[in-house]
Amino acid sequence: MTDRVDDASGPVAAEDSLGVPGDEEWWRRRIAAWRASERVLTRGAVRPSVGEELAALAAHAGEVYDLDLTVDTYGDGVVAELERRVAGLLGKEAAAFFPSGTMAQQVALRCWAGRTGNPVVALHPMAHPEVWEGEALSVVSGLRVAHPTTEARQPTAEEVRGMAEPFGTLMVELPLRDPGFLLPSWEELTELVGAAREREAVVHFDGARLWECTTHFARPLAEIADLADSVYVSFYKSVGGHSGAALAGPAELVEEARVWRHRYGGQLFRQFPQALAALVGLERELPKLPSYVAHAKVVAEALREGFAEAGVPWFRLVPEVPATHQFHVWLPYEAERLSEAAVRQAEETRTTLFARFFPGGPVPGVSLTEVTVAEEALAWSPAEVRAAVGEFVRRIG
């Protein structure tokens, strides 16, 4: 992907010179161009350096924890403080820190299977365990899955009631990322949970991005989490931590989860950088998420207007009105060409509008990218978004 642009005449097609994202030279270009950008719309397009991450953590860690205290050992100290903070935010009896969300979720579902006596987990086929966890539910934990629906949307209460076989746990991903960060209404969510209770099942929320759902549901975190028996949350998604996750729920369940965490290799000797970064994120980023969600709606509408003004033959934003601060943009071009256009725009204008694009499934020539509206995007006006869209489209070729 190394075709160039003539600023006076528009894009110059050079299909025989197109590489692919993953080519070392292309990735070097991407990193250099996006790090040099003066304006960035979507979070995650520009990766910070190790030094920048260390400096940011050092600058703010003292605001959330007494740095004169000794470092943690196997989950005490600052890790335990983080667990207490999360349990309080979610209104749960206890919480346990995990090095990864995949581990936290596997352990939660395994514990519930043992307690309910039913190894079947009802979940969406596009939920995280089905798409991104290497079939760990079955391969590692010996569980089985059942799908209330195969539609690219949240399942309904009626579908849960009508499932053909009993299940022990209903897992609901909030928001459902892969189809476009989709959320049900509050009424739909409460009915969905009620349908699971009617089936004598427990409810687990995959809340990796639950932090950003309060605006849509118009309710605090604790009230949302109260619908579920257990909740998993991520610290690097939405709140900007380094890594790690937490599982929150009844004290007895969390204690059992700690045992399985050790068995899964998650009882780490020291975790203070991750715990401190998570506390900083909860202190500094969590209060800002409602403003990000509100501005995501402004950005989405400006993108829609910009594509229409630029004469793009077809485009789609999913969802049409963002429910969180993240959404998908679909365009009728090959992913490699769109990714190249994004890099060239950054190189030539020092403006990063989009990150990488990906093929949009089985239909050739249709691609998508994820947009995450955060601090970097708040300064963008609708007019600036529309102008940047025009510059981007001009480079597609």
Side-chain angles (χ1 to χ4, degrees), residues 139-155:
V139 174
V140 178
S141 301
L143 306 181
R144 292 193 298 112
V145 300
H147 301 149
T149 182
T150 58
E151 298 289 329
R153 55 167 172 74
Q154 292 282 359

Side-chain angles (χ1 to χ4, degrees), residues 40-367:
V40 177
L41 181 71
T42 184
R43 172 162 289 184
V46 182
R47 292 185 184 182
S49 68
V50 172
E52 288 168 339
E53 283 287 276
L54 289 174
L57 182 59
H60 302 297
E63 301 169 5
V64 297
Y65 193 74
D66 185 352
L67 301 185
D68 289 329
L69 297 175
T70 57
V71 295
D72 59 294
T73 303
Y74 292 121
D76 63 4
V78 66
V79 177
E81 175 59 28
L82 174 62
E83 292 172 338
R84 287 190 291 270
R85 177 79 185 276
V86 171
L89 284 170
L90 298 177
K92 297 298 185 183
E93 289 183 349
F97 181 79
F98 281 78
S100 77
T102 294
M103 185 185 294
Q105 195 127 273
Q106 296 297 322
V107 167
L109 297 175
R110 181 167 194 153
C111 289
W112 282 126
R115 288 167 177 262
T116 63
N118 189 322
V120 178
V121 180
L123 77 174
H124 197 283
M126 298 178 76
H128 197 276
E130 287 285 78
V131 180
W132 300 107
E133 296 181 16
E135 300 180 348
L137 275 180
S138 58
V139 174
V140 178
S141 301
L143 306 181
R144 292 193 298 112
V145 300
H147 301 149
T149 182
T150 58
E151 298 289 329
R153 55 167 172 74
Q154 292 282 359
T156 67
E158 183 176 348
E159 289 166 339
V160 169
R161 291 190 186 98
M163 292 184 66
E165 64 176 320
F167 54 93
T169 305
L170 171 67
M171 195 211 83
V172 183
E173 184 177 325
L174 298 174
L176 187 60
R177 174 201 176 182
D178 274 45
F181 304 98
L182 305 180
L183 285 173
S185 68
W186 179 253
E187 292 73 20
E188 290 168 338
L189 182 59
T190 55
E191 290 174 5
L192 183 64
V193 169
R197 307 287 188 213
E198 293 171 17
R199 297 290 301 262
E200 298 183 345
V202 298
V203 177
H204 170 75
F205 283 170
D206 175 340
R209 298 171 172 85
L210 190 72
W211 311 115
E212 66 208 50
C213 296
T214 56
T215 299
H216 175 77
F217 291 131
R219 282 163 173 80
L221 282 167
E223 187 173 350
I224 301 169
D226 188 55
L227 292 178
D229 298 281
S230 61
V231 180
Y232 136 66
V233 290
S234 172
F235 295 124
Y236 78 88
K237 298 167 183 172
S238 303
V239 294
H242 288 176
S243 64
L247 172 65
E252 288 185 0
L253 176 81
V254 172
E255 282 307 305
E256 182 185 0
R258 294 180 191 277
V259 175
W260 280 106
R261 180 183 64 187
H262 183 58
R263 291 168 176 162
Y264 274 64
Q267 187 75 1
L268 304 184
F269 179 55
R270 293 252 167 87
Q271 299 171 99
F272 69 90
Q274 293 91 334
L276 283 172
L279 285 170
V280 170
L282 294 178
E283 181 70 22
R284 296 177 63 84
E285 280 295 297
L286 186 58
K288 300 177 183 178
L289 286 176
S291 67
Y292 299 167
V293 174
H295 198 57
K297 302 180 192 302
V298 175
V299 169
E301 181 59 26
L303 288 172
R304 187 178 293 108
E305 294 170 352
F307 287 125
E309 292 171 3
V312 175
W314 176 91
F315 60 88
R316 186 177 179 188
L317 275 63
V318 180
E320 291 187 7
V321 178
T324 71
H325 71 313
Q326 297 178 289
F327 55 91
H328 285 176
V329 174
W330 290 71
L331 293 172
Y333 305 97
E334 297 291 343
E336 294 166 3
R337 184 169 293 282
L338 292 171
S339 295
E340 170 66 10
V343 171
R344 284 168 46 201
Q345 182 175 19
E347 289 175 329
E348 296 156 9
T349 69
R350 297 206 170 190
T351 295
T352 292
L353 182 66
F354 297 120
R356 181 182 171 187
F357 281 79
F358 299 88
V363 180
V366 177
S367 307

